Amino acid sequence: MARELRESSDGEREKLEALVRVRFDALAPVMDERRMRLWAAAEATAIGPGGGALVSRATGISEGRIVAGRRELAELARAPASTPPQHQRVRRVGGGRPRADRANPDLSPALEELVAPATRGDPESPLRWTSKGVRTLAAELRALGHEVGPTTVSLLLHELGYSLQAAKKTVEGKQHPDRDEQFRNINTQAKECLAGGIPVISVDTKKKELVGSFKNGGREWQPIGIPTRALVHDFPQDAVGKAIPYGVYDTGRNEAWVSVGTDHDTAEFAVATIARWWNVMGRKSYAGAKELFITADAGGSNGYRSRQWKLGLQEFANTTGLEIRVSHFPPGTSKWNKIEHRLFSHISMNWRGKLLTSHEAIVSLIAGTTTRTGLRVKARLDRRRYRTGLTVPDRVFKQLQIEPHEFQGLWNYTIRPNGDRSREQ
């Protein structure tokens, strides 16, 4: 546990901290002061080095009390079983120093005022992020006349809905002035479509992978001293080939389709994958549907500037008779696309530590991805060749049945079937 804590990321440490906080909140009403410090000491000991600071941040129990609890646990462990328990001082309920924010009602508003200008993040999430450390914030508060330490600041930040994050993990390039409005627009449309029985899918290309005996990040259980052997260098010339997973995530049914391409990530490949999802999964799940809502990134094979993408969707609409409504996430916000954290992240966790030695192995690992919330994934290998560098002439593009929406028509548009070519499903 100690080694894992040292090697874990900020996000993993925060998850562990959140678990400790949940247990503390559940037990606090039935624990007196002594039981509380013994429990905190036991949690810190189980976590290992750094556990005392983590438990203190999660619960607000001072590290001094946790140290005292550890000493007490050690004494209890050394005492013979026949030794009667010694009387221990137990603080009465409500005893001790009052919390800093209760003794000083101006503390929380002052902290909020310091942090608010630095917050940013997903407007659809209640979680707010800040890049200021608790020691810096505590020093600034003391300069304003508030006597407070970093542990209390950490506790107050959690209660205010903040989480410490590294700036480099939250800012993705320039932010468009309509960024937040587009988030709200996508959220509103998705809710309306789901309520009306209209399928809502999130699409994107996962990171390309070299196929071969290359080291894959992460660890898995192996016999001691017999690790899986991988190549020392990740040279492309040593690869069997490349794998290009393009995914379609059905947000309403928590299902996904992934086509693993072997050629190029093109708009034609992206639309072909959507068509395969519809023929294998979507048509059956949404019998009688007349419309489809697609959320996609701003760039790549499904970018809003790609004429080939729109031509492919027009042909898909003509074939199925579906009206295709599309909304792109603003530039630099690809991480908010649901497919990233509802599908791709779980695929990465499922194959961590495993060698992606063949395309068939990759397809099997993707198809075997599940979650506790019931995610179901189907995957197929797509060995078709997809040409690059294709262009769509102006005369062809003008014939597409594209209707830009009133708000940000480049990002939001509907493609209707061509009446001369469409047919019923």
PDB file of all heavy atoms in Angstrom, residues 189 291 310 314 323-327 397-417:
ATOM      1  N   GLN A 189     -29.432  19.505 -25.306  1.00  0.00           N
ATOM      2  CA  GLN A 189     -29.879  18.673 -26.418  1.00  0.00           C
ATOM      3  C   GLN A 189     -29.871  17.186 -26.046  1.00  0.00           C
ATOM      4  O   GLN A 189     -30.807  16.450 -26.383  1.00  0.00           O
ATOM      5  CB  GLN A 189     -28.965  18.886 -27.627  1.00  0.00           C
ATOM      6  CG  GLN A 189     -29.130  20.225 -28.314  1.00  0.00           C
ATOM      7  CD  GLN A 189     -28.349  20.249 -29.619  1.00  0.00           C
ATOM      8  OE1 GLN A 189     -28.822  19.778 -30.645  1.00  0.00           O
ATOM      9  NE2 GLN A 189     -27.145  20.796 -29.573  1.00  0.00           N
ATOM     10  N   GLU A 291     -34.274   9.876 -35.829  1.00  0.00           N
ATOM     11  CA  GLU A 291     -33.241  10.883 -35.631  1.00  0.00           C
ATOM     12  C   GLU A 291     -32.114  10.293 -34.786  1.00  0.00           C
ATOM     13  O   GLU A 291     -32.326   9.366 -33.999  1.00  0.00           O
ATOM     14  CB  GLU A 291     -33.836  12.113 -34.930  1.00  0.00           C
ATOM     15  CG  GLU A 291     -32.915  13.314 -34.863  1.00  0.00           C
ATOM     16  CD  GLU A 291     -33.598  14.532 -34.260  1.00  0.00           C
ATOM     17  OE1 GLU A 291     -34.826  14.472 -34.029  1.00  0.00           O
ATOM     18  OE2 GLU A 291     -32.907  15.530 -34.013  1.00  0.00           O
ATOM     19  N   LYS A 310     -18.779  15.164 -43.264  1.00  0.00           N
ATOM     20  CA  LYS A 310     -20.166  15.548 -43.533  1.00  0.00           C
ATOM     21  C   LYS A 310     -20.736  14.808 -44.739  1.00  0.00           C
ATOM     22  O   LYS A 310     -21.919  14.448 -44.751  1.00  0.00           O
ATOM     23  CB  LYS A 310     -20.250  17.062 -43.715  1.00  0.00           C
ATOM     24  CG  LYS A 310     -19.915  17.819 -42.429  1.00  0.00           C
ATOM     25  CD  LYS A 310     -19.867  19.318 -42.618  1.00  0.00           C
ATOM     26  CE  LYS A 310     -19.482  20.017 -41.308  1.00  0.00           C
ATOM     27  NZ  LYS A 310     -19.355  21.483 -41.457  1.00  0.00           N
ATOM     28  N   GLN A 314     -23.941  12.339 -44.707  1.00  0.00           N
ATOM     29  CA  GLN A 314     -25.039  12.497 -45.652  1.00  0.00           C
ATOM     30  C   GLN A 314     -25.396  11.151 -46.283  1.00  0.00           C
ATOM     31  O   GLN A 314     -26.574  10.782 -46.391  1.00  0.00           O
ATOM     32  CB  GLN A 314     -24.651  13.491 -46.751  1.00  0.00           C
ATOM     33  CG  GLN A 314     -25.732  13.709 -47.802  1.00  0.00           C
ATOM     34  CD  GLN A 314     -26.939  14.459 -47.277  1.00  0.00           C
ATOM     35  OE1 GLN A 314     -26.872  15.667 -47.063  1.00  0.00           O
ATOM     36  NE2 GLN A 314     -28.047  13.762 -47.064  1.00  0.00           N
ATOM     37  N   GLU A 323     -32.403  11.462 -39.600  1.00  0.00           N
ATOM     38  CA  GLU A 323     -31.888  12.827 -39.510  1.00  0.00           C
ATOM     39  C   GLU A 323     -30.714  12.794 -38.538  1.00  0.00           C
ATOM     40  O   GLU A 323     -30.855  12.320 -37.413  1.00  0.00           O
ATOM     41  CB  GLU A 323     -32.954  13.802 -38.993  1.00  0.00           C
ATOM     42  CG  GLU A 323     -33.963  14.212 -40.036  1.00  0.00           C
ATOM     43  CD  GLU A 323     -34.817  15.388 -39.562  1.00  0.00           C
ATOM     44  OE1 GLU A 323     -34.578  15.903 -38.449  1.00  0.00           O
ATOM     45  OE2 GLU A 323     -35.733  15.778 -40.307  1.00  0.00           O
ATOM     46  N   ILE A 324     -29.569  13.293 -38.976  1.00  0.00           N
ATOM     47  CA  ILE A 324     -28.365  13.243 -38.156  1.00  0.00           C
ATOM     48  C   ILE A 324     -28.104  14.622 -37.562  1.00  0.00           C
ATOM     49  O   ILE A 324     -27.768  15.565 -38.281  1.00  0.00           O
ATOM     50  CB  ILE A 324     -27.139  12.797 -38.975  1.00  0.00           C
ATOM     51  CG1 ILE A 324     -27.466  11.546 -39.812  1.00  0.00           C
ATOM     52  CG2 ILE A 324     -25.959  12.547 -38.047  1.00  0.00           C
ATOM     53  CD1 ILE A 324     -27.826  10.337 -39.012  1.00  0.00           C
ATOM     54  N   ARG A 325     -28.297  14.735 -36.245  1.00  0.00           N
ATOM     55  CA  ARG A 325     -27.991  15.987 -35.555  1.00  0.00           C
ATOM     56  C   ARG A 325     -26.597  15.862 -34.937  1.00  0.00           C
ATOM     57  O   ARG A 325     -26.300  14.878 -34.253  1.00  0.00           O
ATOM     58  CB  ARG A 325     -29.014  16.259 -34.460  1.00  0.00           C
ATOM     59  CG  ARG A 325     -28.931  17.679 -33.886  1.00  0.00           C
ATOM     60  CD  ARG A 325     -29.709  17.831 -32.581  1.00  0.00           C
ATOM     61  NE  ARG A 325     -31.065  17.330 -32.617  1.00  0.00           N
ATOM     62  CZ  ARG A 325     -31.920  17.448 -31.596  1.00  0.00           C
ATOM     63  NH1 ARG A 325     -31.529  18.057 -30.482  1.00  0.00           N
ATOM     64  NH2 ARG A 325     -33.135  16.951 -31.686  1.00  0.00           N
ATOM     65  N   VAL A 326     -25.735  16.835 -35.190  1.00  0.00           N
ATOM     66  CA  VAL A 326     -24.345  16.764 -34.736  1.00  0.00           C
ATOM     67  C   VAL A 326     -23.996  18.005 -33.918  1.00  0.00           C
ATOM     68  O   VAL A 326     -24.334  19.128 -34.301  1.00  0.00           O
ATOM     69  CB  VAL A 326     -23.368  16.653 -35.928  1.00  0.00           C
ATOM     70  CG1 VAL A 326     -21.932  16.481 -35.412  1.00  0.00           C
ATOM     71  CG2 VAL A 326     -23.750  15.504 -36.842  1.00  0.00           C
ATOM     72  N   SER A 327     -23.305  17.792 -32.799  1.00  0.00           N
ATOM     73  CA  SER A 327     -22.746  18.887 -32.002  1.00  0.00           C
ATOM     74  C   SER A 327     -21.303  18.547 -31.669  1.00  0.00           C
ATOM     75  O   SER A 327     -21.014  17.445 -31.194  1.00  0.00           O
ATOM     76  CB  SER A 327     -23.535  19.115 -30.709  1.00  0.00           C
ATOM     77  OG  SER A 327     -24.762  19.764 -30.972  1.00  0.00           O
ATOM     78  N   PHE A 397     -20.327  19.445 -52.303  1.00  0.00           N
ATOM     79  CA  PHE A 397     -20.613  19.872 -50.932  1.00  0.00           C
ATOM     80  C   PHE A 397     -21.901  20.697 -50.853  1.00  0.00           C
ATOM     81  O   PHE A 397     -22.653  20.584 -49.888  1.00  0.00           O
ATOM     82  CB  PHE A 397     -19.431  20.676 -50.395  1.00  0.00           C
ATOM     83  CG  PHE A 397     -19.532  21.004 -48.928  1.00  0.00           C
ATOM     84  CD1 PHE A 397     -19.366  20.020 -47.975  1.00  0.00           C
ATOM     85  CD2 PHE A 397     -19.818  22.293 -48.508  1.00  0.00           C
ATOM     86  CE1 PHE A 397     -19.467  20.305 -46.619  1.00  0.00           C
ATOM     87  CE2 PHE A 397     -19.919  22.597 -47.166  1.00  0.00           C
ATOM     88  CZ  PHE A 397     -19.746  21.596 -46.213  1.00  0.00           C
ATOM     89  N   LYS A 398     -22.145  21.502 -51.889  1.00  0.00           N
ATOM     90  CA  LYS A 398     -23.347  22.353 -51.885  1.00  0.00           C
ATOM     91  C   LYS A 398     -24.630  21.532 -51.977  1.00  0.00           C
ATOM     92  O   LYS A 398     -25.711  22.022 -51.646  1.00  0.00           O
ATOM     93  CB  LYS A 398     -23.272  23.348 -53.038  1.00  0.00           C
ATOM     94  CG  LYS A 398     -22.235  24.443 -52.830  1.00  0.00           C
ATOM     95  CD  LYS A 398     -22.161  25.371 -54.031  1.00  0.00           C
ATOM     96  CE  LYS A 398     -21.100  26.455 -53.815  1.00  0.00           C
ATOM     97  NZ  LYS A 398     -20.966  27.350 -55.007  1.00  0.00           N
ATOM     98  N   GLN A 399     -24.526  20.286 -52.441  1.00  0.00           N
ATOM     99  CA  GLN A 399     -25.716  19.437 -52.568  1.00  0.00           C
ATOM    100  C   GLN A 399     -26.078  18.724 -51.267  1.00  0.00           C
ATOM    101  O   GLN A 399     -27.131  18.098 -51.179  1.00  0.00           O
ATOM    102  CB  GLN A 399     -25.487  18.410 -53.673  1.00  0.00           C
ATOM    103  CG  GLN A 399     -25.347  19.023 -55.060  1.00  0.00           C
ATOM    104  CD  GLN A 399     -25.015  17.988 -56.114  1.00  0.00           C
ATOM    105  OE1 GLN A 399     -24.951  16.792 -55.830  1.00  0.00           O
ATOM    106  NE2 GLN A 399     -24.792  18.434 -57.340  1.00  0.00           N
ATOM    107  N   LEU A 400     -25.186  18.817 -50.279  1.00  0.00           N
ATOM    108  CA  LEU A 400     -25.474  18.164 -49.004  1.00  0.00           C
ATOM    109  C   LEU A 400     -26.617  18.877 -48.295  1.00  0.00           C
ATOM    110  O   LEU A 400     -26.701  20.104 -48.298  1.00  0.00           O
ATOM    111  CB  LEU A 400     -24.227  18.150 -48.108  1.00  0.00           C
ATOM    112  CG  LEU A 400     -22.960  17.500 -48.683  1.00  0.00           C
ATOM    113  CD1 LEU A 400     -21.869  17.456 -47.619  1.00  0.00           C
ATOM    114  CD2 LEU A 400     -23.243  16.110 -49.226  1.00  0.00           C
ATOM    115  N   GLN A 401     -27.463  18.075 -47.637  1.00  0.00           N
ATOM    116  CA  GLN A 401     -28.641  18.623 -46.938  1.00  0.00           C
ATOM    117  C   GLN A 401     -28.265  19.002 -45.504  1.00  0.00           C
ATOM    118  O   GLN A 401     -28.726  18.416 -44.533  1.00  0.00           O
ATOM    119  CB  GLN A 401     -29.779  17.597 -46.959  1.00  0.00           C
ATOM    120  CG  GLN A 401     -30.190  17.129 -48.331  1.00  0.00           C
ATOM    121  CD  GLN A 401     -30.692  18.282 -49.182  1.00  0.00           C
ATOM    122  OE1 GLN A 401     -31.594  19.023 -48.772  1.00  0.00           O
ATOM    123  NE2 GLN A 401     -30.131  18.450 -50.366  1.00  0.00           N
ATOM    124  N   ILE A 402     -27.385  20.016 -45.387  1.00  0.00           N
ATOM    125  CA  ILE A 402     -26.904  20.447 -44.078  1.00  0.00           C
ATOM    126  C   ILE A 402     -27.626  21.716 -43.654  1.00  0.00           C
ATOM    127  O   ILE A 402     -27.654  22.702 -44.397  1.00  0.00           O
ATOM    128  CB  ILE A 402     -25.379  20.705 -44.105  1.00  0.00           C
ATOM    129  CG1 ILE A 402     -24.622  19.445 -44.501  1.00  0.00           C
ATOM    130  CG2 ILE A 402     -24.902  21.183 -42.738  1.00  0.00           C
ATOM    131  CD1 ILE A 402     -23.127  19.636 -44.616  1.00  0.00           C
ATOM    132  N   GLU A 403     -28.192  21.686 -42.461  1.00  0.00           N
ATOM    133  CA  GLU A 403     -28.867  22.869 -41.902  1.00  0.00           C
ATOM    134  C   GLU A 403     -28.124  23.316 -40.642  1.00  0.00           C
ATOM    135  O   GLU A 403     -28.217  22.662 -39.599  1.00  0.00           O
ATOM    136  CB  GLU A 403     -30.318  22.553 -41.560  1.00  0.00           C
ATOM    137  CG  GLU A 403     -31.067  23.742 -40.952  1.00  0.00           C
ATOM    138  CD  GLU A 403     -32.460  23.372 -40.500  1.00  0.00           C
ATOM    139  OE1 GLU A 403     -33.090  22.491 -41.129  1.00  0.00           O
ATOM    140  OE2 GLU A 403     -32.921  23.957 -39.486  1.00  0.00           O
ATOM    141  N   PRO A 404     -27.363  24.418 -40.718  1.00  0.00           N
ATOM    142  CA  PRO A 404     -26.678  24.917 -39.518  1.00  0.00           C
ATOM    143  C   PRO A 404     -27.691  25.368 -38.473  1.00  0.00           C
ATOM    144  O   PRO A 404     -28.738  25.932 -38.803  1.00  0.00           O
ATOM    145  CB  PRO A 404     -25.850  26.097 -40.038  1.00  0.00           C
ATOM    146  CG  PRO A 404     -25.809  25.925 -41.528  1.00  0.00           C
ATOM    147  CD  PRO A 404     -27.082  25.244 -41.898  1.00  0.00           C
ATOM    148  N   HIS A 405     -27.393  25.133 -37.191  1.00  0.00           N
ATOM    149  CA  HIS A 405     -28.263  25.598 -36.127  1.00  0.00           C
ATOM    150  C   HIS A 405     -28.027  27.087 -35.886  1.00  0.00           C
ATOM    151  O   HIS A 405     -27.019  27.662 -36.314  1.00  0.00           O
ATOM    152  CB  HIS A 405     -27.992  24.820 -34.836  1.00  0.00           C
ATOM    153  CG  HIS A 405     -28.345  23.365 -34.946  1.00  0.00           C
ATOM    154  ND1 HIS A 405     -28.264  22.489 -33.885  1.00  0.00           N
ATOM    155  CD2 HIS A 405     -28.799  22.614 -35.994  1.00  0.00           C
ATOM    156  CE1 HIS A 405     -28.634  21.285 -34.265  1.00  0.00           C
ATOM    157  NE2 HIS A 405     -28.954  21.337 -35.544  1.00  0.00           N
ATOM    158  N   GLU A 406     -28.947  27.712 -35.187  1.00  0.00           N
ATOM    159  CA  GLU A 406     -28.861  29.156 -34.947  1.00  0.00           C
ATOM    160  C   GLU A 406     -27.632  29.510 -34.120  1.00  0.00           C
ATOM    161  O   GLU A 406     -26.952  30.499 -34.386  1.00  0.00           O
ATOM    162  CB  GLU A 406     -30.134  29.631 -34.237  1.00  0.00           C
ATOM    163  CG  GLU A 406     -30.196  31.136 -34.045  1.00  0.00           C
ATOM    164  CD  GLU A 406     -31.507  31.588 -33.444  1.00  0.00           C
ATOM    165  OE1 GLU A 406     -32.467  30.786 -33.393  1.00  0.00           O
ATOM    166  OE2 GLU A 406     -31.591  32.760 -33.011  1.00  0.00           O
ATOM    167  N   PHE A 407     -27.325  28.674 -33.117  1.00  0.00           N
ATOM    168  CA  PHE A 407     -26.149  28.937 -32.292  1.00  0.00           C
ATOM    169  C   PHE A 407     -24.955  28.170 -32.833  1.00  0.00           C
ATOM    170  O   PHE A 407     -25.004  26.949 -32.989  1.00  0.00           O
ATOM    171  CB  PHE A 407     -26.414  28.528 -30.836  1.00  0.00           C
ATOM    172  CG  PHE A 407     -25.189  28.597 -29.948  1.00  0.00           C
ATOM    173  CD1 PHE A 407     -24.646  29.820 -29.580  1.00  0.00           C
ATOM    174  CD2 PHE A 407     -24.564  27.433 -29.513  1.00  0.00           C
ATOM    175  CE1 PHE A 407     -23.510  29.890 -28.785  1.00  0.00           C
ATOM    176  CE2 PHE A 407     -23.436  27.484 -28.713  1.00  0.00           C
ATOM    177  CZ  PHE A 407     -22.908  28.720 -28.351  1.00  0.00           C
ATOM    178  N   GLN A 408     -23.883  28.865 -33.152  1.00  0.00           N
ATOM    179  CA  GLN A 408     -22.629  28.263 -33.621  1.00  0.00           C
ATOM    180  C   GLN A 408     -22.887  27.191 -34.678  1.00  0.00           C
ATOM    181  O   GLN A 408     -22.667  25.995 -34.475  1.00  0.00           O
ATOM    182  CB  GLN A 408     -21.843  27.685 -32.447  1.00  0.00           C
ATOM    183  CG  GLN A 408     -20.987  28.685 -31.700  1.00  0.00           C
ATOM    184  CD  GLN A 408     -19.798  29.149 -32.538  1.00  0.00           C
ATOM    185  OE1 GLN A 408     -19.493  28.593 -33.583  1.00  0.00           O
ATOM    186  NE2 GLN A 408     -19.144  30.210 -32.079  1.00  0.00           N
ATOM    187  N   GLY A 409     -23.344  27.643 -35.844  1.00  0.00           N
ATOM    188  CA  GLY A 409     -23.691  26.722 -36.919  1.00  0.00           C
ATOM    189  C   GLY A 409     -22.557  25.846 -37.410  1.00  0.00           C
ATOM    190  O   GLY A 409     -22.806  24.791 -38.003  1.00  0.00           O
ATOM    191  N   LEU A 410     -21.294  26.265 -37.174  1.00  0.00           N
ATOM    192  CA  LEU A 410     -20.168  25.405 -37.555  1.00  0.00           C
ATOM    193  C   LEU A 410     -20.069  24.194 -36.639  1.00  0.00           C
ATOM    194  O   LEU A 410     -19.664  23.108 -37.062  1.00  0.00           O
ATOM    195  CB  LEU A 410     -18.857  26.198 -37.505  1.00  0.00           C
ATOM    196  CG  LEU A 410     -18.582  27.168 -38.660  1.00  0.00           C
ATOM    197  CD1 LEU A 410     -17.302  27.948 -38.400  1.00  0.00           C
ATOM    198  CD2 LEU A 410     -18.467  26.409 -39.984  1.00  0.00           C
ATOM    199  N   TRP A 411     -20.432  24.376 -35.373  1.00  0.00           N
ATOM    200  CA  TRP A 411     -20.345  23.294 -34.397  1.00  0.00           C
ATOM    201  C   TRP A 411     -21.631  22.481 -34.316  1.00  0.00           C
ATOM    202  O   TRP A 411     -21.601  21.325 -33.909  1.00  0.00           O
ATOM    203  CB  TRP A 411     -20.054  23.851 -33.004  1.00  0.00           C
ATOM    204  CG  TRP A 411     -18.721  24.506 -32.844  1.00  0.00           C
ATOM    205  CD1 TRP A 411     -17.662  24.445 -33.700  1.00  0.00           C
ATOM    206  CD2 TRP A 411     -18.302  25.317 -31.746  1.00  0.00           C
ATOM    207  NE1 TRP A 411     -16.613  25.170 -33.213  1.00  0.00           N
ATOM    208  CE2 TRP A 411     -16.969  25.722 -32.012  1.00  0.00           C
ATOM    209  CE3 TRP A 411     -18.903  25.751 -30.573  1.00  0.00           C
ATOM    210  CZ2 TRP A 411     -16.246  26.531 -31.137  1.00  0.00           C
ATOM    211  CZ3 TRP A 411     -18.179  26.554 -29.697  1.00  0.00           C
ATOM    212  CH2 TRP A 411     -16.865  26.945 -29.979  1.00  0.00           C
ATOM    213  N   ASN A 412     -22.762  23.096 -34.641  1.00  0.00           N
ATOM    214  CA  ASN A 412     -24.067  22.458 -34.463  1.00  0.00           C
ATOM    215  C   ASN A 412     -24.832  22.488 -35.785  1.00  0.00           C
ATOM    216  O   ASN A 412     -25.092  23.567 -36.325  1.00  0.00           O
ATOM    217  CB  ASN A 412     -24.873  23.181 -33.377  1.00  0.00           C
ATOM    218  CG  ASN A 412     -24.110  23.307 -32.064  1.00  0.00           C
ATOM    219  OD1 ASN A 412     -23.961  22.334 -31.331  1.00  0.00           O
ATOM    220  ND2 ASN A 412     -23.619  24.505 -31.759  1.00  0.00           N
ATOM    221  N   TYR A 413     -25.214  21.313 -36.272  1.00  0.00           N
ATOM    222  CA  TYR A 413     -25.922  21.261 -37.544  1.00  0.00           C
ATOM    223  C   TYR A 413     -26.700  19.958 -37.644  1.00  0.00           C
ATOM    224  O   TYR A 413     -26.445  18.989 -36.900  1.00  0.00           O
ATOM    225  CB  TYR A 413     -24.939  21.380 -38.719  1.00  0.00           C
ATOM    226  CG  TYR A 413     -23.749  20.469 -38.632  1.00  0.00           C
ATOM    227  CD1 TYR A 413     -23.795  19.165 -39.140  1.00  0.00           C
ATOM    228  CD2 TYR A 413     -22.561  20.880 -38.025  1.00  0.00           C
ATOM    229  CE1 TYR A 413     -22.702  18.317 -39.052  1.00  0.00           C
ATOM    230  CE2 TYR A 413     -21.460  20.036 -37.934  1.00  0.00           C
ATOM    231  CZ  TYR A 413     -21.538  18.755 -38.443  1.00  0.00           C
ATOM    232  OH  TYR A 413     -20.456  17.913 -38.350  1.00  0.00           O
ATOM    233  N   THR A 414     -27.649  19.937 -38.558  1.00  0.00           N
ATOM    234  CA  THR A 414     -28.452  18.745 -38.821  1.00  0.00           C
ATOM    235  C   THR A 414     -28.292  18.366 -40.289  1.00  0.00           C
ATOM    236  O   THR A 414     -28.365  19.235 -41.162  1.00  0.00           O
ATOM    237  CB  THR A 414     -29.933  18.981 -38.500  1.00  0.00           C
ATOM    238  OG1 THR A 414     -30.075  19.246 -37.094  1.00  0.00           O
ATOM    239  CG2 THR A 414     -30.775  17.773 -38.868  1.00  0.00           C
ATOM    240  N   ILE A 415     -28.071  17.092 -40.560  1.00  0.00           N
ATOM    241  CA  ILE A 415     -27.974  16.576 -41.921  1.00  0.00           C
ATOM    242  C   ILE A 415     -29.196  15.704 -42.166  1.00  0.00           C
ATOM    243  O   ILE A 415     -29.403  14.695 -41.482  1.00  0.00           O
ATOM    244  CB  ILE A 415     -26.675  15.771 -42.122  1.00  0.00           C
ATOM    245  CG1 ILE A 415     -25.459  16.673 -41.883  1.00  0.00           C
ATOM    246  CG2 ILE A 415     -26.632  15.162 -43.521  1.00  0.00           C
ATOM    247  CD1 ILE A 415     -24.125  15.966 -42.027  1.00  0.00           C
ATOM    248  N   ARG A 416     -30.018  16.106 -43.139  1.00  0.00           N
ATOM    249  CA  ARG A 416     -31.252  15.391 -43.440  1.00  0.00           C
ATOM    250  C   ARG A 416     -31.062  14.497 -44.658  1.00  0.00           C
ATOM    251  O   ARG A 416     -30.269  14.811 -45.552  1.00  0.00           O
ATOM    252  CB  ARG A 416     -32.391  16.369 -43.677  1.00  0.00           C
ATOM    253  CG  ARG A 416     -32.786  17.117 -42.409  1.00  0.00           C
ATOM    254  CD  ARG A 416     -34.038  17.964 -42.616  1.00  0.00           C
ATOM    255  NE  ARG A 416     -34.539  18.433 -41.332  1.00  0.00           N
ATOM    256  CZ  ARG A 416     -34.085  19.490 -40.685  1.00  0.00           C
ATOM    257  NH1 ARG A 416     -33.115  20.209 -41.230  1.00  0.00           N
ATOM    258  NH2 ARG A 416     -34.580  19.839 -39.518  1.00  0.00           N
ATOM    259  N   PRO A 417     -31.800  13.380 -44.726  1.00  0.00           N
ATOM    260  CA  PRO A 417     -31.678  12.494 -45.890  1.00  0.00           C
ATOM    261  C   PRO A 417     -32.058  13.241 -47.168  1.00  0.00           C
ATOM    262  O   PRO A 417     -32.963  14.074 -47.171  1.00  0.00           O
ATOM    263  CB  PRO A 417     -32.677  11.370 -45.589  1.00  0.00           C
ATOM    264  CG  PRO A 417     -32.912  11.435 -44.112  1.00  0.00           C
ATOM    265  CD  PRO A 417     -32.760  12.872 -43.729  1.00  0.00           C
TER     266      PRO A 417
END
